[in-house]
Amino acid sequence: MSVYLTDIPLAEAQSYLLAALKAAELDRILGIETIPLDEQALGRVLAEPAWARLSSPHYHASAMDGFALRAEDTRGAQPSAPVTLAVNEQTVYVDTGDPLPDWANAVIPIELVESLDNLTQISADVRQPHNIRIRAAVTPWSHVRPMGEDIVATQLVLPAGQVLRPVDLGALAAGGFTELRVSRRPHVAVIPTGTELIPIGAPIKSGAIIEYNAMVLAAQVNAWGGEAHRSSIVPDDFSLICQQVQRAADTSDLILLNAGSSAGSEDYSARVIEQLGSVLVHGVAVRPGHPVILGMVNHTHRSGQTPIIGIPGYPVSAALTGEIFVEPLLALWTGRQPLQPQVVEAQLTRKLTSPAGDDDFVRVVAGRVGDRLLAAPLTRGAGVITSLVRADGIAILPRGVQGLDAGSPVQVRLYRSSAELDRTIFTIGSHDLTLDLLAQYLSERGRRLVSANVGSQGGLVALRRGEAHLAGSHLLDPATGQYNLTAIREYLPETPVRVIAWVDRTQGLLVRRGNPLHITTLSDLTRPDVRFVNRQRGAGTRILLDYHLTQLGVTSDQVHGYEQEEYTHLAVAAAVASGRADCGLGIAAAAQALDLDFIPLYQEQYDLVIPIAHLAGPLLSPLWDLMADSRFRQTVAALAGYQTERMGAIVLDQS
């Protein structure tokens, strides 16, 4: 029987899987094992409630170094009317933690005791006085840890389902435990497939893809309480994949079959599952992660089945599939609650479109600007693993929502704590390589810098909307030859800002090593054999290009590739390095980063535009220190085409 891709809503797909697990009696803890109580128990899940076997403390213990006594014997003691007690008759010396004599019910600290024998020190390791004098009465059970103060025998120490923390281990030890009953870790087989895949560290060649999805999935499994077993790469061979999956089904609790990127790899997954068992779902209406496959694989020599998840080959889809399907399943099998990330409401910084029939998982960076929490969407490509690295959280646009306008509220499932967001500097504007350096240096000073690359104009618009702490800008005014000032007066007429010089940098043409097409000037962009890659509308580099094309009398339709857009200098360099374009306008450091030749053309000013409202607070204070830091300035100046002489100078104060 053929299996065809059919998009099923997420909740429906989850219900199909749960029903199959229930039928296979896999909808519960998979097993219980006994382990020693030691540091290796950290992170394990209690399978049974832990009832205290011992009180803690299990005797009345002194909480101070001092003298144990009967509180009644100190009645009436005052500074002017001290009470004298005979040592070893009415009182005895005790150290902290010592048991109290049966007849005692209080301890008086040693510093409140006077010796009547002229001793300069009273302690257990020197000659004790025969008598002591006290000048204040004590109440019963003063400075005593009574039996059961912490734990009383038979009380509940920890419930079943508790994920054990370091302090939990201490409480269990205090409660008299030496062994623990915990849920068995589920064994998860992670199988990467694809002829085009190569292991980490193997020589790179064109068409080869480094296989790291399985490593990410295995790490997720281990972090969520499972025990991952990652196989070697299986080539796109139906019988070989079947053999590997069947072995995994006979020895594992769950199989994660990660399809390769080659054509037809998804069909391999479905065919293998259909051959060895049954396909429950082929296609879930979530993005990214559409071609998820859920199924069950029969065991070879015994009754029963093992669930299998066919995971998409794109890295983001693979990782999010783990979060959506694998984590809740491991929670079920270990008896803990599924992870519940903190959910906050934020405002979108730009418009989002979304397919109406899917739950859309949008990666965002977040920051608090003023009294608003803002969420800026990141690159949405399913292959962009760094978007998950940079993401502060996931905004979910549910099925039926085709998009949201800028400023719309959205629920964000946080990957980071609110405290981290509070120390985040949010920048929206023009891309520059020095912002990555700045992020590293700021992290050493207790700040996070997150940036959204929308171009210089977009950054100024974001400042006008109150959506960023600062914006990088390099907008040339053709009429005056000035940078940024005219645009600031146009876009921020009522927003008090300070413009601070950041760097001067060289813009020019990025071409492949050796410049095989002998490109030398912008005039060469009109040649039919030259393919250009542009920056997006509103980018300062795009405006610089348009200005100089106009000076040359060249129109945009004369430039082959003018409409091909990228959002960063590095993306332009990557397009040239990969052969997707022959040249692009960008900065020298981007050419250096990807081993391209660089034809310098123009010097420009790149400035930071900062609203006055954000200048005085502590959030940006490390930024001022860095501008004067010689080590940081030298690091920036070491980048090709950068000068830092103006860094920190005030260009405009529009208070």
Side-chain angles (χ1 to χ4, degrees), residues 135-462:
R135 296 181 181 274
V138 295
T139 58
W141 304 108
S142 296
H143 308 298
V144 173
R145 293 192 64 211
M147 185 184 76
E149 178 191 55
D150 187 6
I151 300 171
V152 178
T154 74
Q155 83 173 68
L156 180 66
V157 181
L158 292 170
Q162 177 78 13
V163 181
L164 295 174
R165 304 166 298 170
V167 291
D168 297 333
L169 303 181
L172 290 165
F177 288 87
T178 59
E179 295 180 329
L180 303 176
R181 296 277 285 167
V182 298
S183 56
R184 175 175 67 78
R185 282 195 178 110
H187 298 283
V188 181
V190 184
I191 305 173
T193 72
T195 303
E196 75 287 358
L197 301 180
I198 59 173
I200 297 170
I204 301 296
K205 59 182 180 180
S206 180
I209 298 174
I210 299 173
E211 201 297 296
Y212 55 80
N213 279 351
M215 177 182 64
V216 173
L217 290 166
Q220 286 180 322
V221 166
N222 292 338
W224 294 329
E227 187 175 299
H229 302 275
R230 178 162 53 113
S231 78
S232 57
I233 298 167
V234 183
D236 286 328
D237 181 290
F238 181 73
S239 66
L240 290 178
I241 298 174
C242 282
Q243 292 173 25
Q244 187 68 38
V245 169
Q246 189 63 70
R247 280 195 296 267
D250 293 336
T251 57
S252 304
D253 302 304
L254 174 66
I255 304 167
L256 304 181
L257 180 60
N258 189 207
S261 303
S262 61
S265 60
E266 294 169 4
D267 290 337
Y268 267 123
S269 299
R271 286 173 53 207
V272 166
I273 297 171
E274 188 180 29
Q275 173 75 18
L276 303 177
S278 59
V279 173
L280 304 173
V281 174
H282 192 179
V284 180
V286 294
R287 291 183 184 273
H290 232 258
V292 174
I293 303 173
L294 306 177
M296 303 292 287
V297 176
N298 300 321
H299 296 158
T300 305
H301 302 299
R302 56 190 171 91
S303 62
Q305 294 179 305
T306 296
I308 183 170
I309 303 177
I311 293 183
Y314 281 118
V316 175
S317 299
L320 286 177
T321 298
E323 293 182 16
I324 295 169
F325 288 102
V326 180
E327 190 279 327
L329 188 52
L330 295 180
L332 174 68
W333 284 345
T334 56
R336 63 169 174 82
Q337 290 296 311
L339 297 179
Q340 296 293 332
Q342 181 183 2
V343 178
V344 297
E345 183 173 278
Q347 293 180 346
L348 285 174
T349 61
R350 65 175 174 85
K351 182 178 181 179
L352 272 180
T353 58
S354 179
D358 298 333
D359 291 311
D360 197 3
F361 289 67
V362 181
R363 292 137 277 166
V364 299
V365 291
R368 196 174 302 280
V369 181
D371 59 355
R372 295 192 299 162
L373 183 63
L374 301 171
L378 289 166
T379 303
R380 302 184 71 178
V384 187
I385 188 67
T386 53
S387 66
L388 279 179
V389 174
R390 295 180 57 204
D392 296 325
I394 297 288
I396 300 178
L397 276 62
R399 300 178 71 240
V401 176
Q402 290 185 275
L404 293 172
D405 292 327
S408 297
V410 64
Q411 299 296 307
V412 178
R413 296 182 183 178
L414 290 181
Y415 288 150
R416 303 183 187 274
S417 68
S418 293
E420 288 181 281
L421 300 186
D422 289 340
R423 60 180 179 83
T424 295
I425 299 172
F426 210 56
T427 174
I428 299 179
S430 173
H431 170 252
D432 187 74
L433 298 187
T434 61
L435 295 182
D436 292 334
L437 290 176
L438 181 61
Q440 173 58 38
Y441 275 76
L442 284 173
S443 71
E444 298 171 2
R445 291 157 175 79
R447 298 291 185 273
R448 292 178 62 241
L449 180 73
V450 299
S451 56
N453 304 315
V454 298
S456 296
Q457 285 182 349
L460 298 184
V461 171

